[in-house]
Amino acid sequence: MSRTSKDTELARRLSRRNILGVAAGATAATIIGTATAQAAGRDHTQGPGKGHGHGHGKGKPVLPPGRLGIQLYSLRDKISTLGFAPVFAELEKYGYDEIELAGYTQGSAGPITLPQLKRLAKDHGLNPIGSHVGYYDDNNPGAYTFAQNLEKVLDDAQALGLKHIGTASGPFRYGSTVDGWKRAADDFNKYGAAARKRGMKFYQHNHAEEFSFATDKPKVRLYDVLLAETDPDLVYLELDIYWAYCAQFRFSKRVDGTKAPLDPLKYVLKHPNRYPLFHVKDGVRDDTTRDGYRMSDVGDGDIDYTTFLSKVTNRTHHGRTYHHWQAEHDNPVESLAFARKSSEHLHSLREGRCGD
């Protein structure tokens, strides 16, 4: 299906929906860029959303064109039963531009080769932007990880035409001390150098625990060790925004109770070129839980994505073309509905006072 026909189909589907209370005509215009003045002037209001009521209007879209992806882990149930082809067809209809892989097999749908997977993505207008692979399994020399089989991991990434190849494993291979994380940083520098030789960027995806404190030096945040000890030309970062805000809730004080302010957005704005990729994941604030949030579909939670995307993409004239935004939910109630809602919501956001 061509991009033109894709846009027409997406506009048709959006015209039938009113998910999250977004006016459908103007939402479709956001995505395909063919709105009439009348459609652009319609009221953009949101229903009972909590942290996303700002930024729905006539302003500049906060989501840059061509940069919306989805982490396929969110759709693993459908991929394992239906296969990649039907899932990619749906993602095309929903207006996705990119995919981030989490494995190259499709369960009961049967075997698929890497060239076939690459072609299938291309046929549906989806750019495979990255992939998650394990960091290490020191008890298994045959493990498909960076530590055990670096060249095989890079061979496969290259066969898929990936620009980024990374891991969602925490850098805890050698423990939670400063020296342990320096050793992990050395590993990452090695993987980054090998990836760079093949024209790719190696990256690490965080959870909340990366922002905890070293066990031997409790005033030192481990994530700061990772930033300081990895070569910025070799090791990049994929900020999972949800987990970073959970870390803000959990680790804004040290063990002794002293304050240790943590602002995920400031990390990115201080080191913007280190963050080519993001996970856009939402959550409802709940101070009674360990993490301070309960994961939700994008648009149903309290994380202010109007401000976050606006600040990051406006930080330089390269900001709107450098970063890639991957929607994700670890355990969605209905994965394809999550994918559809996420695309519609993120495409609907407009800059306003929150993005100034």
Side-chain angles (χ1 to χ4, degrees):
M1 181 183 292
S2 69
R3 175 61 66 174
T4 299
S5 60
K6 170 182 174 178
D7 293 341
T8 301
E9 169 65 10
L10 181 59
R12 182 185 66 79
R13 291 171 67 92
L14 288 175
S15 69
R16 299 201 311 263
R17 302 191 188 108
N18 192 25
I19 291 178
L20 299 175
V22 178
T27 305
T30 301
I31 300 171
I32 65 175
T34 58
T36 63
Q38 180 182 5
R42 291 176 185 167
D43 179 37
H44 289 250
T45 57
Q46 189 181 19
K50 298 179 177 64
H52 302 280
H54 304 288
H56 292 263
K58 299 180 183 179
K60 182 180 181 182
V62 300
L63 181 69
R67 287 296 183 271
L68 179 61
I70 189 166
Q71 166 52 251
L72 294 182
Y73 181 76
S74 304
L75 300 164
R76 61 194 181 278
D77 62 326
K78 296 296 189 291
I79 292 172
S80 65
T81 55
L82 303 176
F84 285 111
V87 171
F88 287 178
E90 290 300 301
L91 295 179
E92 182 179 16
K93 293 175 185 177
Y94 303 159
Y96 282 94
D97 310 293
E98 301 175 337
I99 51 172
E100 184 182 32
L101 294 149
Y104 311 140
T105 59
Q106 55 179 0
S108 60
I112 186 170
T113 66
L114 296 181
Q116 287 172 335
L117 180 55
K118 180 181 179 181
R119 166 56 68 178
L120 187 62
K122 182 178 180 181
D123 288 346
H124 289 286
L126 298 169
N127 177 32
I129 192 64
S131 179
H132 284 187
V133 176
Y135 167 20
Y136 68 95
D137 183 350
D138 292 334
N139 295 318
N140 179 10
Y144 189 77
T145 63
F146 283 96
Q148 277 66 45
N149 280 289
L150 176 61
E151 294 306 315
K152 173 59 175 171
V153 168
L154 297 180
D155 286 345
D156 291 348
Q158 197 165 26
L160 286 164
L162 301 181
K163 298 298 184 184
H164 308 81
I165 180 68
T167 184
S169 304
F172 294 96
R173 184 182 187 185
Y174 309 108
S176 299
T177 64
V178 170
D179 285 343
W181 273 54
K182 286 182 177 180
R183 289 181 65 189
D186 287 341
D187 286 347
F188 285 6
N189 286 330
K190 172 187 172 183
Y191 309 152
R196 185 178 183 181
K197 288 180 181 179
R198 298 179 182 233
M200 292 179 284
K201 293 178 179 179
F202 170 81
Y203 65 97
Q204 195 268 342
H205 162 282
N206 66 277
H207 294 88
E209 286 71 23
E210 282 87 339
F211 293 92
S212 63
F213 299 96
T215 53
D216 59 331
K217 296 182 179 179
K219 291 185 177 181
V220 176
R221 194 183 299 279
L222 289 171
Y223 197 75
D224 295 338
V225 177
L226 182 67
L227 277 168
E229 297 296 329
T230 51
D231 186 330
D233 292 325
L234 299 178
V235 177
Y236 296 84
L237 301 161
E238 176 179 62
L239 190 76
D240 186 301
I241 301 168
Y242 170 84
W243 287 121
Y245 276 101
C246 292
Q248 182 185 60
F249 177 80
R250 293 175 59 186
F251 303 119
S252 285
K253 289 184 179 180
R254 300 182 183 90
V255 176
D256 63 3
T258 58
K259 293 182 179 180
L262 168 58
D263 186 338
L265 180 57
K266 286 184 178 180
Y267 267 100
V268 179
L269 297 180
K270 186 176 181 180
H271 307 280
N273 291 330
R274 300 207 70 176
Y275 293 92
L277 304 173
F278 293 88
H279 273 190
V280 180
K281 186 184 297 181
D282 213 343
V284 176
R285 185 63 185 258
D286 184 350
D287 290 2
T288 68
T289 65
R290 182 197 66 169
D291 293 320
Y293 291 87
R294 289 180 287 105
M295 198 176 297
S296 69
D297 287 353
V298 178
D300 290 348
D302 293 316
I303 297 176
D304 181 1
Y305 277 112
T306 297
T307 295
F308 198 100
L309 271 78
S310 296
K311 292 287 188 182
V312 173
T313 57
N314 288 335
R315 47 102 185 162
T316 69
H317 66 286
H318 294 301
R320 289 182 69 81
T321 57
Y322 181 75
H323 306 287
H324 304 262
W325 307 90
Q326 315 297 311
E328 188 187 32
H329 191 310
D330 290 357
N331 293 290
V333 174
E334 210 301 312
S335 58
L336 288 175
F338 156 76
R340 184 185 67 242
K341 288 172 61 179
S342 299
S343 175
E344 291 174 349
H345 178 73
L346 291 168
H347 278 112
S348 76
L349 295 179
R350 293 290 187 278
E351 289 184 5
R353 287 176 295 176
C354 289
D356 293 337

